[in-house]
Amino acid sequence: MKNITKIKGFLYICIILIFVSFIGLMPQSVYADSGLTVNNALILGEVNPGNNYTHSINVKLGTSAEATGIAIQIGGIGQTLRDQYQLLQASEDKSSYSAREYIKSDIANFYLEPGDSREVKFTLDIPKDVGVGGRYALIKVTTIPGEGETVGVITVVNIPVYLTISKTKLIHTGKIDAVSAEEAVTGKPVYILTTIENTGNHHYKVKGEVEIADSNGKLLDTVYVSLTSSIIPTMSRQLKATFIPKNELSLGIYNIKSKVTLEDGTLLDEATGTFEVKAPYVPPPAPAVVDLKPSTASALNTDDGRISIAFPQGSVLADAQISLRSNPPDQLPAAPVNHALGTTSFRVDGLTGLLLKPAAVKVKYSSADLAKAEGDPARLVLARWDEANSQWTVLKTSRDYNTQTLNTETNQFSLWAVLIGPAVSVPLVGASPSIASVTVPASNGGISWWVLAVVILLAGVIGVLLTSFILHKSKKHH
Amino acid sequence: MISKFYVLFILLTVFFVLLSMNIILDSPVKAAEPSITITAPTEINSWELSPIGTQPKTTTGALSVVTTDADGLGWTIVATDYDTNTSGFMTKYTGGFYEVGTDLKSALQVSSEGGSVTLPGGGIIVSGIGNTNPQSDYTILFNQIVDWEDQPGTYRITVTFTGTLTP
């Protein structure tokens, strides 16, 4: 009798565990409670001519939001020079790359109460004679404005539609339309603008490299523009490079050489331009400066305490002024293989050669760095840009998790960055997060069936072993 | 005993299958359905504007963004004014209607840590890459210059906050 009670108890535990497991399978919600959420808010993938596709989104209103009407609009897509999306009505949408007419939604307007959600289904009918390259559109999910007396607010979520016609020739070409600079104002960086137009038939991302030289051709600096979001055919994007001169600029003309490449480094176009310094120009002050002397040890610390460099006595042969300034993370050369750029980056200037003794570099990583490393600080490393060889040197980095710092030693300086190294565990399946979302998602959430079969088999074996063990134990007690 | 064996076997098997599925579904290799949540600043009902004192007059709001399954994607939040009644300028508003043409001399500016933009065209005020962790919160500043030539009255504008996951 006692054993039956025990088995019953065990069964109850199993049922509770299964219930808990089901809860675990439910989508985990971390959404803000009064916002507008759109799930599956991107249509990006390959399509075949003559085929039909469906794409479902889920529109949800937070539990503490006010009830609102929701409008679904489908239009052509426009991109501004500064990466802003515009919905083009039929009368404005003249692009031969438009997918506007291929897309229909099952509903145009609906009403949501707080906490409510609604699925909206889109059908995509791809004509047989759709042509080659990419086709693009924009779907807008819009709330109805509230009754604010002074400033009303509308919330919108854009759903970009990027379709690639499969098995067609994709042309990735581009042309620089303009290279210019904003006025050089003393105490501020000089912003250099490069406008690149997509002259191909398919979207792509670009990155930039801008060289600034004086009128004698002496290279002053090379500034990088990190990878942009995708530019669609016929649209242009303005790349903004921030040039912070290391020294004062004398009056006169300066030369700009701007190069724009694809993500893989393929050159799209290069062009030259000039800018004139018409008034005395002093660069913005570096946030941290130290006068280094051969006879004493010195430290270079930023005011916020995030970066410190300790130079030992005898690290230099002659006096030198070393400065440190933060570097915009979007102005870094591309990360090396298997690494990604973090958000902390800085530049150290003033050294003309190698240090005689290595300096100790200590960098406090930011929460944004940590977020990029998916919460694993062991993936964070320090890297230095090697200007001579145009490549990153990933440095041997030790970590202090208590103080959230990365530490290394070096005998040279230039551009520095926190990089994200590869995750320790290797993914099971090389699924890209941004492909084929136009297809109806598999009901198993994208797990391959053989993985599922192995899981069930293993679970079955464990189940048999555990059951046998428990029953064997209970028999013994009898 | 046999029936007990089967019951136990089935329950344990189901339990381990579900447990394994939990582990797999929480892994980063699941099919991506990127999502974005925007909590825009709440409507502003009372903002006293005056040409007296420091300009521009400023009021604040809170914006939060949540992106999930957005690895490899960027995201932007853009502030604009699409309403042709106002076209970026706070416009006199009486009895539920705009007095088109009677607006403040200066356009409304909206700013946050990603930039300061002037309506109506506006632009990106915050942006990011990948997933927020778990959400990113921003203070939004509404800046309005009030001129002595601006007429007294109730003025209104509607600001649109647009979130986009950018491939």
Side-chain angles (χ1 to χ4, degrees):
Chain A
M1 197 62 179
K2 240 181 181 180
N3 286 324
I4 289 170
T5 315
K6 269 185 181 175
I7 289 170
K8 271 186 181 172
F10 181 76
L11 287 175
Y12 288 140
I13 290 167
C14 283
I15 289 163
I16 290 165
L17 286 172
I18 289 166
F19 181 70
V20 169
S21 302
F22 269 117
I23 291 171
L25 281 170
M26 290 161 78
Q28 303 296 308
S29 177
V30 289
Y31 300 150
D33 204 35
S34 55
L36 175 73
T37 299
V38 178
N39 172 255
N40 224 358
L42 178 66
I43 304 181
L44 177 74
E46 279 201 7
V47 291
N48 290 306
N51 278 14
N52 298 327
Y53 300 85
T54 60
H55 180 94
S56 295
I57 65 168
N58 192 278
V59 183
K60 183 176 183 287
L61 206 57
T63 49
S64 51
E66 284 187 24
T68 181
I70 301 282
I72 307 287
Q73 292 173 275
I74 300 166
I77 191 168
Q79 283 181 313
T80 66
L81 290 175
R82 298 281 173 88
D83 196 18
Q84 212 173 318
Y85 285 82
Q86 292 172 327
L87 185 130
L88 305 177
Q89 302 296 342
S91 58
E92 306 163 308
D93 184 27
K94 307 291 182 196
S95 172
S96 55
Y97 297 99
S98 176
R100 175 180 49 82
E101 290 183 334
Y102 312 159
I103 307 166
K104 301 276 181 294
S105 71
D106 64 349
I107 192 165
N109 297 286
F110 54 93
Y111 192 78
L112 285 181
E113 292 287 346
D116 277 359
S117 66
R118 193 189 197 288
E119 188 181 75
V120 180
K121 192 182 272 185
F122 297 95
T123 53
L124 290 82
D125 295 326
I126 312 300
K128 280 182 180 167
D129 59 349
V130 64
V132 300
R135 294 293 180 272
Y136 307 90
L138 189 68
I139 298 167
K140 251 182 163 180
V141 179
T142 307
T143 63
I144 304 300
E147 293 300 316
E149 277 176 17
T150 315
V151 181
V153 170
I154 298 175
T155 308
V156 175
V157 170
N158 280 336
I159 304 172
V161 180
Y162 282 55
L163 307 176
T164 299
I165 312 301
S166 67
K167 294 170 190 163
T168 62
K169 190 180 179 188
L170 305 181
I171 301 168
H172 294 154
T173 53
K175 183 168 76 73
I176 293 178
D177 291 329
V179 177
S180 63
E182 290 179 0
E183 190 183 354
V185 178
T186 196
K188 292 188 174 174
V190 181
Y191 295 106
I192 296 168
L193 309 170
T194 303
T195 306
I196 178 88
E197 181 190 351
N198 183 344
T199 56
N201 69 0
H202 190 245
H203 62 277
Y204 54 69
K205 297 177 181 184
V206 299
K207 54 188 179 181
E209 189 180 313
V210 179
E211 289 180 359
I212 301 103
D214 64 16
S215 55
N216 298 318
K218 185 191 169 196
L219 184 67
L220 300 179
D221 204 357
T222 303
V223 185
Y224 298 87
V225 180
S226 63
L227 203 62
T228 64
S229 59
S230 295
I231 309 169
I232 64 177
T234 74
M235 297 294 162
S236 296
R237 183 72 52 84
Q238 195 171 65
L239 311 182
K240 190 174 184 179
T242 307
F243 170 46
I244 303 174
K246 291 167 190 168
N247 301 301
E248 293 178 17
L249 296 179
S250 52
L251 303 187
I253 305 286
Y254 290 81
N255 299 307
I256 308 166
K257 186 178 171 188
S258 187
K259 191 165 89 174
V260 180
T261 63
L262 293 174
E263 192 171 2
D264 64 3
T266 306
L267 181 69
L268 280 175
D269 198 10
E270 50 188 342
T272 57
T274 58
F275 68 93
E276 186 176 2
V277 176
K278 297 174 182 170
Y281 177 87
V282 178
V289 176
V290 68
D291 289 317
L292 208 54
K293 295 181 187 304
S295 56
T296 53
S298 304
L300 182 60
N301 299 306
T302 55
D303 287 344
D304 60 4
R306 286 196 57 213
I307 302 166
S308 69
I309 302 172
F311 297 92
Q313 182 187 14
S315 58
V316 287
L317 279 173
D319 290 4
Q321 189 178 67
I322 313 295
S323 66
L324 185 154
R325 68 171 79 246
S326 67
N327 188 74
D330 61 346
Q331 310 244 319
L332 287 172
V337 178
N338 291 331
H339 289 77
L341 296 171
T343 59
T344 302
S345 168
F346 58 96
R347 202 174 82 181
V348 180
D349 294 312
L351 275 175
T352 51
L354 300 179
L355 291 172
L356 298 175
K357 291 181 183 173
V361 180
K362 190 183 276 191
V363 178
K364 187 168 185 177
Y365 52 83
S366 67
S367 55
D369 289 320
L370 196 57
K372 281 194 154 192
E374 295 171 327
D376 181 5
R379 292 176 61 190
L380 299 174
V381 289
L382 287 169
R384 184 189 64 233
W385 179 246
D386 179 355
E387 285 174 348
N389 298 311
S390 292
Q391 63 179 29
W392 285 105
T393 302
V394 179
L395 300 157
K396 193 176 173 188
T397 306
S398 64
R399 300 163 194 86
D400 184 334
Y401 299 129
N402 292 325
T403 57
Q404 298 190 327
T405 52
L406 306 173
N407 304 284
T408 192
E409 288 194 336
T410 184
N411 64 353
Q412 53 185 304
F413 288 94
S414 66
L415 199 55
W416 286 64
V418 171
L419 298 186
I420 318 300
V424 178
S425 59
V426 180
L428 291 170
V429 186
S432 162
S434 57
I435 57 166
S437 54
V438 288
T439 52
V440 182
S443 59
N444 67 353
I447 309 163
S448 60
W449 289 108
W450 69 265
V451 172
L452 203 61
V454 169
V455 166
I456 292 168
L457 193 71
L458 279 174
V461 170
I462 295 169
V464 169
L465 290 174
L466 261 178
T467 310
S468 305
F469 176 75
I470 290 161
L471 291 177
H472 179 73
K473 279 264 182 188
S474 107
K475 217 174 183 183
K476 253 187 169 179
H477 280 292
H478 271 295
Chain B
M1 187 54 84
I2 290 293
S3 62
K4 275 179 195 165
F5 177 86
Y6 279 127
V7 170
L8 266 174
F9 168 69
I10 289 164
L11 282 172
L12 283 168
T13 304
V14 169
F15 169 64
F16 283 111
V17 165
L18 292 173
L19 195 68
S20 311
M21 297 267 287
N22 270 351
I23 294 163
I24 288 170
L25 288 178
D26 279 340
S27 78
V29 299
K30 64 181 173 182
E33 289 191 3
S35 76
I36 183 166
T37 301
I38 310 167
T39 306
T42 50
E43 315 256 319
I44 298 164
N45 289 316
S46 149
W47 184 15
E48 200 171 307
L49 295 165
S50 160
I52 301 168
T54 312
Q55 300 292 336
K57 297 296 175 190
T58 300
T59 187
T60 60
L63 172 90
S64 79
V65 183
V66 178
T67 59
T68 57
D69 285 328
D71 290 329
L73 301 174
W75 55 265
T76 59
I77 303 293
V78 166
T80 42
D81 173 18
Y82 288 116
D83 191 342
T84 50
N85 286 317
T86 50
S87 298
F89 293 82
M90 295 190 80
T91 301
K92 209 163 190 187
Y93 191 69
T94 314
F97 295 97
Y98 284 109
E99 289 181 31
V100 179
T102 310
D103 45 32
L104 299 182
K105 288 183 78 163
S106 299
L108 182 70
Q109 280 191 331
V110 183
S111 62
S112 190
E113 63 185 56
S116 176
V117 300
T118 303
L119 303 180
I124 295 171
I125 50 167
V126 289
S127 62
I129 293 172
N131 298 319
T132 54
N133 184 26
Q135 72 177 43
S136 298
D137 297 313
Y138 303 93
T139 299
I140 304 296
L141 302 176
F142 298 93
N143 299 315
Q144 178 64 59
I145 293 172
V146 187
D147 192 273
W148 284 102
E149 290 179 20
D150 289 326
Q151 291 179 25
T154 300
Y155 289 78
R156 190 174 193 273
I157 195 167
T158 298
V159 182
T160 300
F161 292 90
T162 304
T164 309
L165 291 169
T166 56

